[in-house]
Amino acid sequence: MVKNSFISVILQEEKDENRGSIEFQILSLTSRIRKLSSHLELHRKDYLSQRGLRKILGKRQRLLSYLSKKNRICYKELINQLDIRESKTR
């Protein structure tokens, strides 16, 4: 749960700044992914939530690939902060 508190602190700091930035969108999607993952551990047959989780994961993946193309340094820092695996290049 340390990761969730870290994300909430970052979200509170950047709440007033730039909500439309790619970094903020990835942070908010990551917090939603972690909440849904913990929900699905309890409710394994909640198929609508599984579908929503897959959609959110895809959206975050697209944003991460865009960020890696535009600003590789910022991408690396964000990956390390959120403790996410780096995406495979195609």
Side-chain angles (χ1 to χ4, degrees):
M1 290 299 176
V2 174
K3 295 177 192 175
N4 289 337
S5 63
F6 174 72
I7 291 173
S8 64
V9 169
I10 292 175
L11 289 175
Q12 292 298 327
E13 290 174 359
E14 294 187 2
K15 193 171 189 178
D16 298 329
E17 292 180 11
N18 192 1
R19 288 185 179 185
S21 70
I22 295 174
E23 294 87 1
F24 182 81
Q25 291 180 32
I26 292 171
L27 283 171
S28 63
L29 287 174
T30 303
S31 67
R32 287 177 59 196
I33 287 169
R34 292 196 172 130
K35 286 179 187 176
L36 268 176
S37 296
S38 65
H39 169 76
L40 287 173
E41 287 177 2
L42 296 175
H43 308 283
R44 294 184 189 274
K45 294 190 176 185
D46 189 356
Y47 298 115
L48 289 176
S49 293
Q50 288 177 9
R51 181 174 184 262
L53 178 63
R54 284 193 297 268
K55 288 181 78 165
I56 293 171
L57 284 169
K59 186 170 188 172
R60 184 180 73 174
Q61 185 61 41
R62 289 191 300 273
L63 287 172
L64 282 170
S65 68
Y66 173 78
L67 184 62
S68 71
K69 291 175 189 171
K70 287 291 185 181
N71 191 351
R72 191 70 177 175
I73 296 168
C74 184
Y75 169 76
K76 289 283 189 181
E77 290 174 1
L78 189 64
I79 291 291
N80 290 334
Q81 279 181 350
L82 296 177
D83 196 27
I84 304 174
R85 287 183 290 175
E86 190 170 346
S87 65
K88 296 178 183 176
T89 55
R90 292 181 182 179

